[in-house]
C-alpha cells in the first residue's frame, strides 16, 4: 500500500460536542499519524473555495453556513493508504448509510451536519492539504 497523506476536518458540530479528542483518537488507534494540526474559524470565502466543486448545488449555501458556524480542526493524516482508510473510518456521507462504528454513524446528525471531512482522492488530498497548510507546517514522522 502506498504511503499517503490526506486532509481531515473535524467539523463545527463535532467541535461543539467536545469530540475533538475522541475523533483524533480514532485516527491514531487506526495507525494513521497526525503530521499537521490546527484549529481555525473558516471565513465564508475560505469555505466557498474549499467546497468549490459543490457551488450551485442546492445544499451549497447551507454547507457554507454550517462550516462557518464555529471553529474546525484541520489535520493532515499520514499512513499506508491513508485516503481510503480515513474515508472508511468516517463512513458514508449520510449517517443513516454509514457503517456501524464509524465516525459519522456515531457522531453525525444528518447528511449535512456530519462531523468530519476527508479527502476523496490523491488529487483532492494534494489540493486540500495545500489549502490549509504551508509545507513547513507538515512534519515528517517515522
Ligand atoms: N452535503 C449536504 N447535503 C448533501 C450532500 C452533501 O449538506 O445532500 C454536505 C455534507 O456536509 C458533505 C459535504 O456537503 O459532507 C460534501 O459532500 P460530498 O458529497 O463531497 O461528501 P463527503 O465527501 O463529505 O462524504
Amino acid at each position: 500500500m502506498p504511503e499517503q497523506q490526506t486532509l481531515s476536518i473535524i467539523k463545527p458540530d463535532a467541535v461543539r460536542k467536545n469530540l475533538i479528542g475522541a475523533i483524533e483518537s480514532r485516527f491514531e488507534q487506526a495507525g494513521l499519524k497526525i503530521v499537521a494540526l490546527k484549529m481555525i474559524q473558516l471565513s465564508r470565502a475560505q469555505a466557498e473555495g474549499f467546497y468549490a466543486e459543490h457551488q450551485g448545488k442546492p445544499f451549497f449555501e447551507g454547507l457554507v453556513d454550517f462550516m462557518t458556524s464555529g471553529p474546525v480542526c484541520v489535520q493532515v493524516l499520514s499512513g499506508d493508504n491513508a485516503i481510503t482508510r480515513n474515508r472508511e473510518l468516517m463512513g458514508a456521507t449520510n449517517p443513516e448509510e454509514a457503517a456501524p462504528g464509524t465516525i459519522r454513524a456515531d457522531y453525525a446528525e444528518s447528511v449535512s451536519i456530519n462531523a468530519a471531512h476527508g479527502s476523496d482522492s490523491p488529487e483532492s488530498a494534494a489540493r486540500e492539504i495545500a489549502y490549509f497548510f504551508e509545507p513547513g507546517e507538515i512534519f515528517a514522522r517515522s
Side-chain angles (χ1 to χ4, degrees):
M1 289 290 179
E3 179 85 8
Q4 288 179 328
Q5 292 186 341
T6 190
L7 192 278
S8 160
I9 304 178
I10 301 175
K11 293 186 178 183
D13 57 322
V15 173
R16 264 193 291 276
K17 292 174 186 159
N18 230 11
L19 292 169
I20 296 171
I23 293 174
E24 302 285 14
S25 180
R26 290 185 183 217
F27 300 143
E28 294 193 326
Q29 282 172 9
L32 293 172
K33 288 189 173 149
I34 299 166
V35 295
L37 174 67
K38 64 174 95 166
M39 190 174 202
I40 53 173
Q41 168 68 52
L42 293 178
S43 66
R44 285 196 81 80
Q46 270 178 314
E48 286 167 359
F50 184 76
Y51 280 118
E53 68 177 291
H54 295 304
Q55 203 133 22
K57 294 184 184 169
F59 61 83
F60 184 73
E61 286 303 319
L63 175 59
V64 173
D65 289 344
F66 166 54
M67 291 300 292
T68 58
S69 68
V72 297
C73 271
V74 289
Q75 48 276 323
V76 179
L77 306 177
S78 174
D80 288 346
N81 214 19
I83 295 169
T84 299
R85 288 177 61 215
N86 180 42
R87 299 281 302 185
E88 287 169 356
L89 291 173
M90 286 165 47
T93 311
N94 185 344
E96 290 178 8
E97 294 163 12
T102 58
I103 292 168
R104 283 165 162 171
D106 288 347
Y107 302 137
E109 293 177 26
S110 67
V111 68
S112 306
I113 300 174
N114 60 359
H117 166 85
S119 310
D120 64 3
S121 68
E123 296 71 29
S124 298
R127 181 186 85 85
E128 293 176 0
I129 290 168
Y131 199 81
F132 289 115
F133 293 98
E134 303 288 338
E137 295 177 310
I138 303 169
F139 294 85
R141 291 186 52 200
S142 53

